[in-house]
Amino acid sequence: MGNYEIILSELEQTHTRLIAVSKTKSVAQILELYQKGQRAFGENKVQELLEKYEQLPKDIEWHLIGHLQSNKVKYIIPFVHLIHSVDSLKLLFEINKEALKNQKVQQVLIQIHLGNEETKFGVDEKELIEILEYYCAENGSLQNVAIVGLMGMATNTDDEEIIRTEFLYLRNLFRSTKNTYLLHKTNFVEISMGMSSDYKIALEAGSTLIRVGSLLFGSRT
Ligand SMILES: *Cc1c(COP(=O)(O)O)cnc(C)c1O
C-alpha cells in the first residue's frame, strides 16, 4: 500500500476527510491521485490554483489553504470550494462582495493563530469573536459567505505535547464558538488541522479535514 491508501484506511473509522495538498506538484501528479479517486486538492497560491483548475477535471474540489490577499479574491471565487485561511474581517467582506457578484455563497474557515511562531497567519480569540459578531448580526451584511469552521497550523516542532495542546485548544475553541455564537448555524462543522507530520495527533484531537502534501507527493524542493 502507498501512503495514500494507508491514510484513507486510517480515516475509515472517522468523519475526517483528506485534502491532498498539491502545491508545487505537477498536473500529472495530481491526475495520478485523481485516478485513484481523490477529489479534494489544496493549493496555497491563487495563481497556481487557477492554472491547475484550467488543466484538470472540473469535478475536482479546490481548497485554498494559504494566505489570501484581498486584491486576489476576485480571481479565485468562481473556482474555489473552501477557503481555509480567512484571517481578517476586511478579507471576509471582500470575499462576500465577490461571492455576491458570482451569485454564490462562499464557504470559508477562519484561520486561528496557534502557538507562538510569529511568521504564522491567523487571528486570536478576540478577533474571532469580532468576526463572528458581524457574521451573526441580525441585519447582517455577510449574506454571501458561510463560515463553516476553523483552521489552524500547529507549531513546527518535534514535541508532540506542544502540537497536541495546540490542536486541543483549537478543538475547544471550535466547540465554545459553536455553542456561544453559532448554535443556529448547522453548517459550522469543520476543524481543519493536521499535515503530513502531525495529522495523527490532529485526528485524535478531532480534526475533520486533514491537509496532507509531502506524505502523498513526496517532499517539496
Ligand atoms: C503546505 C501546507 C500543508 C501540507 O504540508 P505537508 O507537510 O506537505 O503535508 C498543509 N497546510 C498548509 C496551510 C500548507 O501550506
Side-chain angles (χ1 to χ4, degrees), residues 21 23 44 65-66 151 153 194-197 211-215 220:
V21 176
K23 63 191 186 197
N44 68 339
I65 60 173
M151 179 273 224
M153 285 173 90
M195 324 195 337
S196 293
S197 58
R211 310 176 309 269
V212 176
S214 44
L215 210 52
R220 292 174 298 272

Side-chain angles (χ1 to χ4, degrees), residues 126-145:
K126 189 165 154 280
E127 293 164 300
L128 173 64
I129 290 168
E130 193 196 349
I131 290 171
L132 293 175
E133 280 174 348
Y134 272 95
Y135 179 59
C136 298
E138 278 289 324
N139 53 354
S141 47
L142 289 169
Q143 301 290 338
N144 287 78
V145 290

Side-chain angles (χ1 to χ4, degrees), residues 37-54:
Q38 180 66 23
R39 290 296 178 272
F41 289 88
E43 290 285 335
N44 68 339
K45 294 203 172 104
V46 168
Q47 186 59 30
E48 193 173 340
L49 190 156
L50 294 183
E51 280 165 20
K52 287 174 176 171
Y53 169 85
E54 292 273 316

Side-chain angles (χ1 to χ4, degrees), residues 12-187:
E12 248 164 44
Q13 308 300 324
T14 72
H15 295 286
T16 311
R17 291 203 312 143
L18 169 66
I19 317 284
V21 176
S22 48
K23 63 191 186 197
T24 78
K25 301 300 173 181
S26 70
V27 163
Q29 283 171 294
I30 295 172
L31 266 181
E32 211 175 295
L33 217 51
Y34 177 90
Q35 269 141 15
K36 292 183 179 176
Q38 180 66 23
R39 290 296 178 272
F41 289 88
E43 290 285 335
N44 68 339
K45 294 203 172 104
V46 168
Q47 186 59 30
E48 193 173 340
L49 190 156
L50 294 183
E51 280 165 20
K52 287 174 176 171
Y53 169 85
E54 292 273 316
Q55 299 174 62
L56 282 156
K58 294 300 169 280
D59 63 341
I60 286 182
E61 193 182 273
W62 290 103
H63 293 248
L64 187 76
I65 60 173
H67 182 64
L68 177 59
Q69 289 171 293
S70 292
N71 61 359
K72 299 220 170 125
V73 170
K74 57 178 177 292
Y75 304 117
I76 201 88
I77 294 297
F79 310 107
V80 71
H81 176 73
L82 177 61
I83 299 171
H84 290 232
S85 47
V86 172
D87 59 1
S88 75
L89 198 50
K90 174 173 170 268
L91 179 60
L92 196 60
F93 275 113
E94 184 64 23
I95 292 169
N96 186 72
K97 188 181 94 192
E98 294 300 325
L100 177 60
K101 282 189 202 161
N102 283 273
Q103 299 184 334
K104 84 183 270 201
V105 174
Q106 180 60 57
Q107 300 194 81
V108 305
L109 305 176
I110 306 299
Q111 182 171 355
I112 306 298
H113 179 89
L114 301 178
N116 45 27
E117 284 171 81
E118 289 188 2
T119 54
K120 284 204 181 132
F121 295 104
V123 302
D124 61 20
E125 264 182 72
K126 189 165 154 280
E127 293 164 300
L128 173 64
I129 290 168
E130 193 196 349
I131 290 171
L132 293 175
E133 280 174 348
Y134 272 95
Y135 179 59
C136 298
E138 278 289 324
N139 53 354
S141 47
L142 289 169
Q143 301 290 338
N144 287 78
V145 290
I147 299 177
V148 299
L150 304 179
M151 179 273 224
M153 285 173 90
T155 301
N156 186 5
T157 170
D158 290 334
D159 188 336
E160 295 200 351
E161 275 318 302
I162 293 177
I163 297 171
R164 187 168 292 111
T165 302
E166 291 175 1
F167 284 158
L168 288 174
Y169 166 80
L170 186 59
R171 200 255 325 258
N172 290 336
L173 183 62
F174 169 84
R175 286 186 183 167
S176 64
T177 300
K178 190 172 179 71
N179 292 333
T180 311
Y181 292 93
L182 297 164
L183 269 184
H184 58 296
K185 306 262 194 198
T186 52
N187 59 3

